[in-house]
Amino acid sequence: MKRILFVCTGNTCRSPMAEGMLRIMLREQGMNHIEVRSAGTSAGDGYPVSKNAAIILEEKEALHTSGSSSLTEALLDWADVVLTMTTSHKQQAIQRFPAFIDKMHTLKEYVSEDPSDHVRMDELAQLVAELQLKQSLSQQVTMEERARVRQLEQSLPDYDIADPFGGSLSVYRQCAAEIEECLQRLIRRLKD
C-alpha cells in the first residue's frame, strides 16, 4: 500500500487531522514512500481546515496546507485504500462510487484487530450493496434481508469517529486523540 485517502464530511476537521498526523508519523518512522490525501463526501473545494483543527495540527507540527477537496472518482482511483471517519461516510462513498467498494473501510474497522469484525463488516457491506441494487431495480427487499442487516449492524462495534465540527478545542483534542490511536495501529499494520 502506497496511497491512503482519508474521508469525512466536509474535509475541514477529521480527515485533514488524520492526513496531517499520519504524514508526521510516517516521516518519523522513515516511511516516506507512502502518500496521504483527504477528501469529503460533502466538501466544497478549497475551504480551509476549521480553526480548532488548524490549532491541533499546528500543535502536532502537522500543518494541512491544501484546502478541502470533494471526493471524486479520480481520488478514489489514485488511492490504494480509502479510510472513512464513519460508517455513513463509507456507505455514501460506496453508493456514489460502487466500483471502489473493495478499497473502502472505516478507519476504525481497518485497524481493528478482531478478525471476526472484518468478516461481519464485509458481509454487511456486500448485503447493503445487493439490497441497494435490488431497490434501484424496483425489486422488493425481504423482511429477512432487512433483519440480517440489523443483526449485522448490532453485532459490530461502533466504527465512527465523532464529528468535532463546532465543538470546543477540548472536543477537537478528544477527536484527535481517537484518530491518533487508530493511526498508531495503522502504522503497525503498514509495517507488517
Side-chain angles (χ1 to χ4, degrees):
M1 174 185 348
K2 296 181 180 164
R3 295 177 177 155
I4 299 170
L5 178 66
F6 290 107
V7 175
C8 68
T9 306
N11 192 217
T12 60
C13 298
R14 291 168 287 183
S15 59
M17 287 194 298
E19 176 187 356
M21 288 190 292
L22 184 59
R23 279 194 180 138
I24 292 295
M25 294 167 84
L26 290 169
R27 189 173 18 167
E28 289 170 352
Q29 296 292 320
M31 301 170 73
N32 298 324
H33 62 284
I34 298 175
E35 297 176 60
V36 185
R37 292 185 186 173
S38 63
T41 57
S42 300
D45 290 331
Y47 291 97
V49 297
S50 70
K51 181 179 114 184
N52 286 336
I55 290 169
I56 298 293
L57 289 168
E58 187 175 315
E59 289 173 353
K60 296 185 176 292
E61 299 178 6
L63 296 177
H64 182 269
T65 54
S66 62
S68 61
S69 297
S70 179
L71 184 63
T72 64
E73 187 172 339
L75 275 173
L76 292 169
D77 192 47
W78 168 86
D80 294 319
V81 66
V82 179
L83 302 175
T84 67
M85 296 296 124
T86 68
T87 303
S88 176
H89 296 134
K90 178 182 169 182
Q91 290 169 346
Q92 289 172 33
I94 290 170
Q95 267 186 320
R96 288 177 50 203
F97 306 100
F100 298 96
I101 190 171
D102 292 339
K103 293 183 179 187
M104 296 186 199
H105 313 270
T106 68
L107 173 58
K108 283 184 169 182
E109 164 199 1
Y110 193 74
V111 299
S112 169
E113 294 166 351
D114 184 347
S116 66
D117 285 351
H118 293 282
V119 171
R120 290 191 311 269
M121 198 67 178
D122 288 345
E123 182 184 349
L124 178 60
Q126 185 64 38
L127 182 57
V128 167
E130 289 171 10
L131 297 183
Q132 288 173 342
L133 179 61
K134 276 181 89 168
Q135 287 178 323
S136 70
L137 297 172
S138 299
Q139 296 175 355
Q140 187 70 28
V141 175
T142 68
M143 294 299 284
E144 293 81 15
E145 290 168 328
R146 291 179 197 277
R148 182 62 182 151
V149 168
R150 276 193 302 280
Q151 179 187 28
L152 286 168
E153 287 174 339
Q154 291 169 354
S155 73
L156 291 168
D158 182 6
Y159 286 127
D160 292 353
I161 295 174
D163 190 354
F165 185 75
S168 66
L169 187 55
S170 67
V171 169
Y172 274 79
R173 283 199 172 102
Q174 290 171 346
C175 179
E178 188 175 11
I179 291 169
E180 191 167 22
E181 180 184 326
C182 292
L183 296 179
Q184 289 167 352
R185 285 188 267 156
L186 177 60
I187 292 283
R188 286 194 300 272
R189 181 172 176 169
L190 292 170
K191 284 182 173 182
D192 290 343

